[in-house]
Amino acid sequence: MATRRESSRSKLGHGLAKVLGIKLHYRDPTGKENLTRGESVFSVSSADTYVEEEPTVIEWLNEITPTRRQCLLYFWNLFPFLHWIGRYNAQWLIGDLIAGITVGAVVVPQGMAYATLAGLPPQFGLYSSFMGVLVYWLFATSKDITIGPVAVMSTVTGNILAQVAITNPTLPGHVVASALSLICGCIICFIGLIRAGWIVDFIPLAAIAAYMTGSALNIACGQIPTMLGESGFSTRDSTYLVIIHTLQYLPQCKIDAAMGLTALFLLYVIRSACTYGARRFPSKTKWFFFAQTLRTVFVLLLYTLISWLVNRNHRSKPIFKILGTVPRGNDSNLTLRYGLMRHTGFQYAAVPVINKTVINSFTSQIPASVIVLLIEHIAIAKSFGRVNNYSINPSQELVGIGITNILGPFLGAYPATGSFSRTAINSKAGVRTPLAGVITALVVLLAIYALTAVFFYIPSASLSAVIIHAVLDLITSPNTLYQFWRVSPLEVLIFFAGVLVTVFSSIENGIYTTICVSVAVLLFRVVKAKGRFLGRVKVHSVIGDRLVNNDGKVGEGYGSMSNDHDSSMRNIFLPIEHNDGSNPQVDVESPYPGIYIFRFSEGYNYPNANHYLDYMVATIFAETRRTNPDNYPRLGDRPWNDPGPRRGQAAVDQSDRPTLKAIILDFSSVNNVDITSVQHLVDVRNQLDFYTAPHRVDWHMACINNRWTKRALASAGFGFPSPDDLALTRWKAIFSVAEIGGSTSAAAVAERHEIERDLRRRLTEADVEAARNEKKAGGDGITRQRDSRSESSEGGEFDKDLGTTKAYARQSAKVAVVHGLNRPLFHIDLTSALQSAIANVERRGELEPKGVGT
């Protein structure tokens, strides 16, 4: 019934194709019905027939359609904590407690400092810190990373709020910041949910390094005026303007400079001392690490104490600028324009305000904000994953960032992402699971409710020193730049371009510059990819002064290598021009007169197809001659682009050049092709067939890795000889075959072991029976039996029995073709392709009339 239904569908499809004028066997002169056994054009003797089926659209749809199990795994993987929470133990808890408390002690001062960068009161930094570490662990695939306010995103947010303050001064800054977090969070969460985290891979390391370096310079230079107590100009201008204004206003420095410069100096002194101490006393490394980690807390507490001693009697008019009032979590003396007061929670906990006015205030900055949130987090997560020997899921990480920034605004948070400094501290503190974020959240919560009175006296200059100290570590070191230069000098230029744009324009423009230039360079490399013509080289592998055979065994010395060492010699294919760095003293042989091997270097698609083939055709025309030089009997028959010699001049003698016979294309670097690239191949085939008329050029394809690529090429007439060649002579296809079920196969080895066990069991039974007979015949029969049979005779008898066993008699090897018989010009490697090309060119030469195309 099913067969009849399929037949009806086939007839209906063929009828519809006929009505529409569709040629089902277009450019397929052979068809599967021509395949037979024996002496057929498309078969090999003593091998099983194999016809490769073409992939179908239904098959492709089945591959990309998720199964029920994959759908369940998708939802299961949305909550990675379910994978490990059931095995949580006391040892993990101890590590998480230490790391969580340590990070909490760092994130509190950093969060308040970064909030000032964003142009917000310091408590908003604490809100963002709390939500970042509290929510992320549910979706995390990285145990090390901590989410919260970061310097760069805070600066971007601050620039947006500064612009909004000018264009719409009635709009509160925290409302805009919360709306920005919610919108960016939704975008990032969507990217993660559709599992498109691979989009981050389009941002190269040079772009990330330039963005980090430029941002660090921008932030550090913007904090220097506050650290020195300068005022009277905007610290959110371009970096170079801030530097100029800072130098101009140096005479106006206040006593704040003493609090800022000494704090910065002390931070570096403590770090250097701890680094030296850890190196000098390795047994105390852990203690020095915690001392170095908590240096920010120590310095802020020290300068807060100094500030309290100096300003406790000058609260209304402090001697130097201090942080001021930070509301408690349960204060109720604030009135919000956008949202209701929460007497039992955070002061700014409310539903974020999302309307046209708010969104229009930062629409142009959404792309830059999303990029900053993405690249900083993913770059940090991947880096620490590699260091600590685990892999992250970028898409799932985007879900974690997105959910954090969606829920955070409900408590008043602004955009947050992964922090490099706090992640490094978390990792070194021995964090065991993402649950350490909950411990950090409790520390932040304690700070919000119990330590706000202490925050009042924090000097603003010392807080700026903390920011400068944190961001300067983000600047790319000269040694790293040198390593970049060794790998890719062009990307170093991109790096400096990004840094310069950031310094002379803005962080956002620096990000756009590096990404756009990097993508442009990538596209240029793809479009201008240059293929290579390959030649053959015979090589030997050696160990010391001994040749290594193809079976891996060490053979004779190579001092007198000759063509007789067939067991150790193999063919490789190198660029004829040695532009791959191979030794130019090695002679690369031309594959065969008139046969060319061309390798695509960076894929083969519509952007680079024309460039590839133009170079290939130009080289072939320069090195070969037309098969029939008298193809234009009259001068007027010649095309305008090939007018021939001038009147009275003889044609250039090209008799020393070979005629074009075959082209072998190496598809090892090609994964997919498209309509445009295949059509270019068809056009070049027609062009070269006209060039070699009345003959045709043989096209051999090697190392095709994708079934859809084979289908595309076969649909254009590649993969089998043209009908004209079949009419001229019987095609002798050369196929690659492999042994199946031979003596080295798993089945044969298992069968041998079974036979050996059976024979040994039989011999043992025979020995026992013989011993019984001897015992019946005489008292010492057993002794005589054991003495008369030695171990050698037992082994010999066993081997003799094993060798004469019919079940283990060696049978002839069974072979099968590797590629389908219906595509004889698709080859598994270049060697088989070259063998096939040479064999058929020589056979054609034997059957052609002498003097034609030689």
Side-chain angles (χ1 to χ4, degrees):
M1 191 68 179
T3 306
R4 186 179 303 174
R5 192 182 301 112
E6 292 178 1
S7 177
S8 300
R9 292 177 181 175
S10 178
K11 289 180 180 179
L12 179 61
H14 282 74
L16 184 61
K18 187 174 182 180
V19 172
L20 298 176
I22 300 174
K23 299 178 181 179
L24 296 178
H25 296 289
Y26 178 60
R27 289 173 177 167
D28 188 3
T30 57
K32 296 178 183 178
E33 64 275 5
N34 293 339
L35 296 178
T36 58
R37 293 297 309 271
E39 295 300 323
S40 170
V41 170
F42 305 108
S43 67
V44 291
S45 60
S46 69
D48 283 351
T49 300
Y50 168 64
V51 177
E52 183 177 352
E53 297 291 339
E54 290 186 347
T56 62
V57 176
I58 298 297
E59 182 181 337
W60 174 73
L61 290 175
N62 290 333
E63 289 178 355
I64 64 173
T65 303
T67 62
R68 181 181 178 182
R69 183 175 182 274
Q70 289 174 330
C71 292
L72 293 176
L73 283 176
Y74 171 82
F75 290 103
W76 170 256
N77 290 329
L78 281 178
F79 302 96
F81 79 95
L82 296 175
H83 304 175
W84 52 265
I85 194 68
R87 293 182 289 274
Y88 201 81
N89 54 67
Q91 189 173 353
W92 289 3
L93 177 60
I94 294 173
D96 289 344
L97 277 172
I98 296 173
I101 295 173
T102 304
V103 173
V106 175
V107 74
V108 169
Q110 276 194 356
M112 293 190 297
Y114 292 153
T116 61
L117 275 180
L120 295 169
Q123 64 266 25
F124 287 94
L126 299 179
Y127 301 158
S128 299
S129 302
F130 175 77
M131 286 302 297
V133 292
L134 180 65
V135 176
Y136 170 71
W137 76 273
L138 297 170
F139 308 93
T141 60
S142 169
K143 72 178 181 65
D144 298 296
I145 201 164
T146 62
I147 290 184
V150 295
V152 181
M153 191 64 230
S154 298
T155 302
V156 173
T157 303
N159 293 337
I160 294 174
L161 298 187
Q163 187 66 27
V164 171
I166 298 174
T167 59
N168 195 345
T170 61
L171 198 60
H174 69 87
V175 172
V176 178
S178 295
L180 175 67
S181 176
L182 182 60
I183 297 299
C184 292
C186 290
I187 295 174
I188 295 173
C189 185
F190 174 76
I191 296 173
L193 289 175
I194 64 174
R195 292 311 194 225
W198 48 263
I199 195 173
V200 184
D201 295 334
F202 282 96
I203 304 175
L205 180 58
I208 296 175
Y211 142 76
M212 298 292 282
T213 300
S215 301
L217 292 174
N218 181 286
I219 295 167
C221 293
Q223 290 299 306
I224 290 177
T226 304
M227 185 178 66
L228 298 178
E230 298 177 352
S231 59
F233 60 94
S234 174
T235 58
R236 297 193 181 277
D237 289 336
S238 298
T239 305
Y240 79 100
L241 290 176
V242 174
I243 295 175
I244 293 173
H245 292 154
T246 300
L247 296 176
Q248 290 176 344
Y249 282 79
L250 275 178
Q252 299 183 13
C253 287
K254 300 182 178 65
I255 195 174
D256 298 68
M259 303 297 291
L261 291 174
T262 56
L264 183 63
F265 176 76
L266 185 58
L267 285 168
Y268 278 106
V269 167
I270 295 175
R271 187 173 75 171
S272 300
C274 290
T275 302
Y276 172 79
R279 191 168 55 248
R280 180 72 174 80
F281 305 100
S283 60
K284 306 293 184 181
T285 300
K286 200 72 174 178
W287 294 105
F288 283 112
F289 161 73
F290 283 110
Q292 181 176 346
T293 298
L294 298 177
R295 66 186 183 277
T296 301
V297 178
F298 169 75
V299 169
L300 277 183
L301 289 177
L302 174 63
Y303 280 82
T304 300
L305 176 61
I306 296 173
S307 176
W308 176 75
L309 294 174
V310 173
N311 295 310
R312 59 181 175 174
N313 297 322
H314 307 280
R315 288 176 60 92
S316 59
K317 192 177 180 181
I319 296 176
F320 46 80
K321 188 176 180 182
I322 58 178
L323 201 58
T325 302
V326 177
R328 283 177 174 268
N330 57 355
D331 284 347
S332 57
N333 57 352
L334 295 176
T335 302
L336 301 181
R337 178 183 178 89
Y338 292 83
L340 298 175
M341 181 76 65
R342 301 301 181 196
H343 296 277
T344 59
F346 290 11
Q347 288 296 320
Y348 293 89
V351 177
V353 177
I354 303 295
N355 55 41
K356 185 177 180 180
T357 302
V358 174
I359 295 177
N360 287 340
S361 65
F362 56 77
T363 301
S364 61
Q365 299 297 326
I366 290 178
S369 301
V370 170
I371 291 173
V372 169
L373 293 174
L374 288 179
I375 61 178
E376 190 160 357
H377 182 95
I378 299 299
I380 295 169
K382 285 185 175 180
S383 175
F384 280 90
R386 287 190 291 266
V387 170
N388 294 312
N389 194 28
Y390 64 86
S391 299
I392 69 160
N393 184 341
S395 297
Q396 183 59 32
E397 289 297 311
L398 297 188
V399 173
I401 306 173
I403 296 296
T404 299
N405 284 283
I406 290 173
L407 298 181
F410 288 88
L411 292 183
Y414 70 93
T417 187
S419 166
F420 180 83
S421 60
R422 296 194 296 272
T423 299
I425 293 170
N426 202 28
S427 177
K428 291 181 180 179
V431 65
R432 303 303 299 271
T433 70
L435 193 62
V438 177
I439 310 300
T440 302
L442 294 177
V443 175
V444 177
L445 193 64
L446 177 66
I448 292 174
Y449 277 88
L451 301 179
T452 52
V454 178
F455 300 155
F456 180 88
Y457 289 101
I458 295 178
S460 296
S462 301
L463 209 56
S464 294
V466 169
I467 296 174
I468 294 172
H469 179 67
V471 299
L472 287 182
D473 290 336
L474 302 179
I475 296 177
T476 305
S477 66
N479 179 61
T480 303
L481 278 180
Y482 174 73
Q483 300 303 325
F484 286 175
W485 178 266
R486 295 283 298 171
V487 175
S488 176
L490 181 59
E491 291 189 88
V492 175
L493 299 180
I494 297 175
F495 168 86
F496 281 113
V499 173
L500 291 175
V501 171
T502 302
V503 170
F504 288 95
S505 181
S506 64
I507 294 176
E508 296 86 346
N509 291 337
I511 293 172
Y512 295 147
T513 298
T514 53
I515 293 177
C516 291
V517 174
S518 298
V519 172
V521 170
L522 174 64
L523 292 177
F524 180 82
R525 287 173 174 170
V526 172
V527 172
K528 292 299 182 180
K530 187 176 181 180
R532 294 173 176 175
F533 285 94
L534 307 181
R536 180 170 56 180
V537 177
K538 297 179 179 179
V539 299
H540 303 262
S541 296
V542 297
I543 295 180
D545 59 350
R546 296 288 180 178
L547 293 172
V548 179
N549 298 331
N550 291 332
D551 58 1
K553 296 180 179 179
V554 179
E556 303 175 5
Y558 66 86
S560 58
M561 280 195 307
S562 65
N563 294 331
D564 297 331
H565 292 90
D566 293 334
S567 61
S568 64
M569 183 187 68
R570 67 183 189 278
N571 291 324
I572 64 171
F573 296 88
L574 297 176
I576 294 178
E577 299 177 353
H578 288 287
N579 50 10
D580 63 336
S582 56
N583 191 346
Q585 297 179 352
V586 175
D587 293 329
V588 180
E589 302 175 359
S590 176
Y592 189 89
I595 296 180
Y596 288 86
I597 303 177
F598 186 77
R599 172 179 290 167
F600 300 110
S601 58
E602 292 192 34
Y604 178 67
N605 297 98
Y606 70 92
N608 54 26
N610 192 60
H611 188 262
Y612 271 133
L613 299 183
D614 283 351
Y615 170 70
M616 184 184 75
V617 171
T619 303
I620 289 174
F621 282 172
E623 297 181 0
T624 60
R625 60 181 172 85
R626 189 178 293 275
T627 303
N628 185 6
D630 301 324
N631 198 33
Y632 304 112
R634 295 179 301 176
L635 182 62
D637 295 335
R638 302 187 72 95
W640 66 272
N641 60 336
D642 186 16
R646 294 181 178 273
R647 293 182 182 275
Q649 294 182 354
V652 178
D653 183 17
Q654 297 180 344
S655 58
D656 59 328
R657 298 182 182 179
T659 57
L660 178 61
K661 297 178 177 63
I663 295 176
I664 301 172
L665 296 181
D666 183 359
F667 277 77
S668 57
S669 63
V670 178
N671 189 42
N672 291 289
V673 295
D674 48 58
I675 296 174
T676 306
S677 58
V678 172
Q679 185 59 47
H680 276 299
L681 272 180
V682 173
D683 295 340
V684 169
R685 179 179 62 184
N686 296 336
Q687 179 186 10
L688 295 181
D689 283 345
F690 185 78
Y691 179 72
T692 60
H695 298 157
R696 297 290 185 93
V697 179
D698 297 336
W699 290 79
H700 298 261
M701 313 294 180
C703 307
I704 304 178
N705 303 314
N706 189 299
R707 293 176 62 208
W708 284 93
T709 300
K710 292 181 182 179
R711 166 176 160 156
L713 294 172
S715 67
F718 297 98
F720 35 72
S722 63
D724 294 343
D725 291 331
L726 292 174
L728 177 65
T729 179
R730 296 183 67 84
W731 185 268
K732 289 297 181 183
I734 296 180
F735 296 94
S736 296
V737 298
E739 183 179 350
I740 57 176
S743 59
T744 59
S745 67
V749 172
E751 182 182 6
R752 177 180 175 86
H753 290 166
E754 182 63 28
I755 293 171
E756 289 179 354
R757 284 196 297 268
D758 184 61
L759 286 176
R760 292 186 185 278
R761 181 179 56 80
R762 293 179 184 178
L763 288 175
T764 303
E765 292 176 354
D767 288 344
V768 173
E769 185 64 26
R772 289 175 179 174
N773 293 334
E774 289 290 338
K775 186 175 182 180
K776 293 178 180 179
D780 57 348
I782 296 178
T783 305
R784 291 197 302 269
Q785 173 67 22
R786 290 180 177 175
D787 292 341
S788 62
R789 175 168 297 193
S790 62
E791 292 183 2
S792 60
S793 62
E794 289 179 1
E797 184 176 349
F798 173 76
D799 293 338
K800 181 179 178 181
D801 291 342
L802 182 62
T804 58
T805 301
K806 293 182 179 180
Y808 194 69
R810 180 177 178 83
Q811 300 178 358
S812 59
K814 187 177 182 181
V815 296
V817 290
V818 179
H819 280 179
L821 300 178
N822 53 330
R823 301 289 181 254
L825 300 189
F826 289 165
H827 305 279
I828 192 172
D829 59 6
L830 289 175
T831 299
S832 60
L834 182 58
Q835 290 172 346
S836 179
I838 293 175
N840 286 283
V841 166
E842 291 180 345
R843 181 169 179 81
R844 178 187 297 169
E846 295 174 359
L847 299 177
E848 286 177 351
K850 298 299 182 183
V852 178
T854 57

